[in-house]
Amino acid sequence: MNLTAREIYEKEFKISKDKGYDIEDINNYLDLIIEDYMQIEKMQIKLKELEIENQNLKIKISALKSSNREIDHAVPTVNNIDILKRLSRLEQAVFGKNNE
């Protein structure tokens, strides 16, 4: 941006002796511009805050993905064959080897 709200507020116009502008009209118009600039400045600050928050969240997501991969590698996978083998051993222990 070329101007800030403060620069617009502090701008002084030269008054022509022959055909001058209505100072009140200029000031009212500049007030509208200042309001817009102030909103833009607030949005820029908010945008920077959101960009920082977004970056922090990306870092957290990356860390969670890494820890999730570590957990996935640490926990053995159980499949149906393992379950059937365990169930068979349990039945043998409870009911005996000869009971089929």
Side-chain angles (χ1 to χ4, degrees):
M1 288 185 358
N2 294 325
L3 300 172
T4 65
R6 180 162 215 80
E7 290 172 332
I8 294 169
Y9 177 76
E10 293 175 349
K11 174 67 177 163
E12 293 289 330
F13 292 95
K14 297 177 184 175
I15 299 174
S16 171
K17 294 180 183 177
D18 299 340
K19 295 182 181 180
Y21 293 100
D22 181 12
I23 293 176
E24 188 176 329
D25 189 35
I26 292 173
N27 286 336
N28 289 338
Y29 188 73
L30 288 176
D31 287 344
L32 292 174
I33 295 171
I34 289 169
E35 287 178 28
D36 288 345
Y37 267 75
M38 290 170 65
Q39 288 178 355
I40 289 170
E41 288 172 353
K42 287 179 185 177
M43 286 189 291
Q44 286 176 330
I45 291 169
K46 184 66 175 174
L47 178 63
K48 288 183 190 288
E49 291 172 352
L50 290 173
E51 286 173 343
I52 291 168
E53 181 182 358
N54 187 29
Q55 189 63 31
N56 289 336
L57 290 172
K58 285 180 179 179
I59 291 168
K60 287 181 183 179
I61 288 171
S62 178
L64 288 172
K65 284 181 178 178
S66 294
S67 66
N68 193 25
R69 277 189 225 113
E70 291 172 10
I71 291 172
D72 286 346
H73 286 80
V75 176
T77 57
V78 177
N79 57 32
N80 289 341
I81 295 172
D82 291 335
I83 293 172
L84 289 173
K85 286 180 182 178
R86 289 180 186 174
L87 185 59
S88 175
R89 279 186 253 141
L90 180 62
E91 287 176 341
Q92 289 175 2
V94 172
F95 299 114
K97 292 185 180 186
N98 294 333
N99 191 14
E100 294 182 27

